[in-house]
Amino acid sequence: MQLTTTPTGAHRTATFWMSHAWLGTHVEPGVTLAVADGRIAGIRTGVDAPPPGATVLRGLTVPGLANTHSHAFHRALRSTVQVGSGTFWTWRELMYQVAARLTPDTYYDLARAVYAEMALAGITTVGEFHYLHHAPGGAPYNNPNAMGEALIAAAAAAGIRITLLDTAYLAAGFGQRAGQYREPDQHQLRFSDTTADAWAERASLLKGSDHALIGAAVHSVRAVPAGQLATVAKWAEERQAPLHVHLSEQTAENDACQAAHGCSPTRLLADHGVLGPRTTGIHNTHLSSEDIALLGVSATGTCMCPTTERDLADGIGPAVALQRAGSPLSLGSDSHAVIDLFEEARAMELNERLRTHARGHWTAAALLRAATADGHAALGRSDAGTLEPGALADFTTVALDSVRTAGPVPRLAAEAVVFAASAADVRHTVVAGRHIVRDGQHTLVEDVPAALASAIAVLHG
């Protein structure tokens, strides 16, 4: 495993010609984009033909996609957890079995392949919700951040950016008495630093870079005792870092929190200073009107993960009400039942149609914003997710001539991409001006399917 990181494109100068580009409000034909030092240096429209020396991108080029919520090792569960029936809680037992087999080396191999799959899907930044910290049994590695550093190195090797959301996971759930929490079980020992102070001490050793930002996460209100929530929030506040939290994914969590603290998980987080504009709640599925108002007034974000939420039978979250209240929306592939941000985007709209029996809750533009600018902002990169001077030169090109996207007139290319395209239609992915996916082939990982198969086989062997 190579634990050193490489720059994603510093000091690189290049020119790209895009047959069509999404400029935030409309599709523009014939666009040239200049890149210098990994950022967009200039944009010209009305360029009918590629200038000499320009790299040609045919299709619809959109800002790079942001996968706001990922658990890389869950990719090893794909298909295995589709056998038979069950609940979120039975799925969790299978997840623990895979987690128990991972080492820094095998995690690097798996994450490198998973992040390469993301690049092939047009994702240029991933938010990795990372809680697999220690060796089985809970003993720290000689390098206490060996697992986190493996993820950072894997993202660099796959050519994408990462926000490592180092996660406090200290308890197995609420106890029998108010204020009491259960000790981590045998599966969870490698997740736990025992206290939030110990978590903060270890997390402080992580180093960021151009391609890697360091953020924080509260796994959930059931996994971090209420009295220690403020420690995690303070750590993030001092660093102006993103802070994420699984929130009200299951009604059982709501019921247990109510029994233990006499309030909802959202209220508990609010009372301990966790909510705010740098905080993102993951799922936010089962919320009361008071919860929605608390999230909105604090400008706490919401990351919807529709493919996982439907795979685990979690339910459909109140995304429309949350956004109206003031909670910015982003998207994640979470358990990686599939890795396809176009599917996540349209699923959010289509789920709402099923729930309300009405159409048109979000435009294609709004869904693209959730998949790009608002997702990057949730990961601490407000300078990404747009095609404009000064922004990071991260973008992806989607074919407009596949069996899914062919036919619509160019001005409707965004609608074609959001409501019909799949990850398989991504032709190019560029990060910091560096071509990571070219003509549908990853330029750094030679055979992504083989890399995935090999890394997953080790964990099931």
Side-chain angles (χ1 to χ4, degrees):
M1 175 180 60
Q2 173 65 294
L3 286 180
T4 58
T5 61
T6 56
T8 50
H11 312 301
R12 181 180 179 86
T13 301
T15 300
F16 294 86
W17 179 81
M18 304 165 176
S19 64
H20 297 86
W22 175 251
L23 299 185
T25 58
H26 65 287
V27 175
E28 183 74 30
V31 174
T32 59
L33 186 149
V35 174
D37 296 332
R39 292 184 179 271
I40 299 172
I43 293 179
R44 289 178 55 209
T45 60
V47 184
D48 294 335
T55 299
V56 176
L57 305 179
R58 296 194 183 277
L60 178 67
T61 298
V62 302
L65 307 179
N67 190 353
T68 307
H69 188 64
S70 162
H71 300 289
F73 76 93
H74 289 189
R75 175 62 177 82
L77 297 170
R78 190 183 293 180
S79 77
T80 302
V81 293
Q82 310 304 331
V83 177
S85 59
T87 66
F88 168 86
W89 307 103
T90 56
W91 169 90
R92 192 175 69 158
E93 293 304 313
L94 294 173
M95 178 270 286
Y96 286 154
Q97 294 174 25
V98 170
R101 299 187 180 105
L102 284 161
T103 68
D105 287 337
T106 59
Y107 207 5
Y108 169 84
D109 291 340
L110 176 61
R112 171 178 171 267
V114 173
Y115 296 154
E117 181 181 357
M118 291 185 191
L120 289 170
I123 293 163
T124 57
T125 298
V126 60
E128 184 63 36
F129 200 101
H130 167 56
Y131 54 82
L132 192 54
H133 302 306
H134 308 299
Y141 289 102
N142 291 334
N143 172 1
N145 284 306
M147 296 294 266
E149 290 180 5
L151 293 166
I152 291 171
I160 69 172
R161 303 182 195 271
I162 185 171
T163 296
L164 186 74
L165 298 157
D166 196 278
T167 304
Y169 193 134
L170 310 174
F174 299 106
Q176 295 298 314
R177 298 192 303 273
Q180 183 186 56
Y181 289 77
R182 292 183 286 114
E183 293 294 320
D185 64 27
Q186 62 176 343
H187 300 295
Q188 299 162 337
L189 288 173
R190 66 184 312 193
F191 306 164
S192 176
D193 292 293
T194 68
T195 68
D197 286 334
W199 165 83
E201 182 178 357
R202 180 189 52 73
S204 295
L205 300 175
L206 287 161
K207 303 299 182 185
S209 65
D210 286 345
H211 100 279
L213 300 182
I214 308 301
V218 170
H219 180 273
S220 58
V221 295
R222 68 179 186 275
V224 177
Q228 300 186 58
L229 290 170
T231 299
V232 184
K234 180 181 178 183
W235 188 96
E237 175 66 27
E238 289 174 344
R239 292 160 178 77
Q240 293 294 288
L243 175 60
H244 289 207
V245 54
H246 289 132
L247 179 56
S248 291
E249 181 179 5
Q250 296 288 323
T251 56
E253 176 183 285
N254 289 356
D255 295 341
C257 186
Q258 185 70 40
H261 294 286
C263 66
S264 71
T266 302
R267 168 54 71 183
L268 189 68
L269 294 174
D271 289 348
H272 290 273
V274 176
L275 303 186
R278 286 180 296 96
T279 300
T280 299
I282 311 301
H283 304 300
N284 294 0
T285 307
H286 302 285
L287 302 177
S288 67
S289 57
E290 179 190 5
D291 293 336
I292 292 169
L294 284 169
L295 294 169
V297 74
S298 63
T300 300
T302 294
C303 176
M304 304 297 292
C305 305
T307 64
T308 292
E309 289 150 5
R310 70 191 185 197
D311 182 58
L312 298 181
D314 286 343
I316 300 171
V320 170
L322 281 161
Q323 188 172 52
R324 287 176 178 166
S327 178
L329 299 179
S330 58
L331 297 163
S333 63
D334 192 2
S335 69
H336 312 314
V338 297
I339 294 177
D340 188 336
L341 265 289
F342 302 120
E343 176 63 20
E344 304 292 347
R346 66 173 158 265
M348 189 164 69
E349 164 68 24
L350 299 180
N351 284 353
E352 193 66 16
R353 292 182 185 185
L354 287 174
R355 191 180 70 82
T356 63
H357 301 173
R359 303 175 75 235
H361 303 279
W362 292 279
T363 62
L367 293 172
L368 275 175
R369 181 173 180 82
T372 57
D374 286 345
H376 288 290
L379 296 176
R381 293 196 181 273
S382 58
D383 56 351
T386 61
L387 298 181
E388 58 186 30
L392 292 172
D394 300 356
F395 40 88
T396 188
T397 304
V398 186
L400 296 178
D401 58 357
S402 76
V403 293
R404 288 165 292 277
T405 59
V409 296
R411 67 181 178 83
L412 296 178
E415 284 75 12
V417 166
V418 170
F419 288 102
S422 77
D425 296 313
V426 170
R427 292 294 175 264
H428 305 280
T429 300
V430 174
V431 179
R434 181 188 186 192
H435 230 127
I436 301 303
V437 174
R438 187 190 298 270
D439 296 321
Q441 297 297 312
H442 203 288
T443 63
L444 303 178
V445 181
E446 183 177 358
D447 188 338
V448 178
L452 285 163
S454 174
I456 292 169
V458 169
L459 301 177
H460 291 291

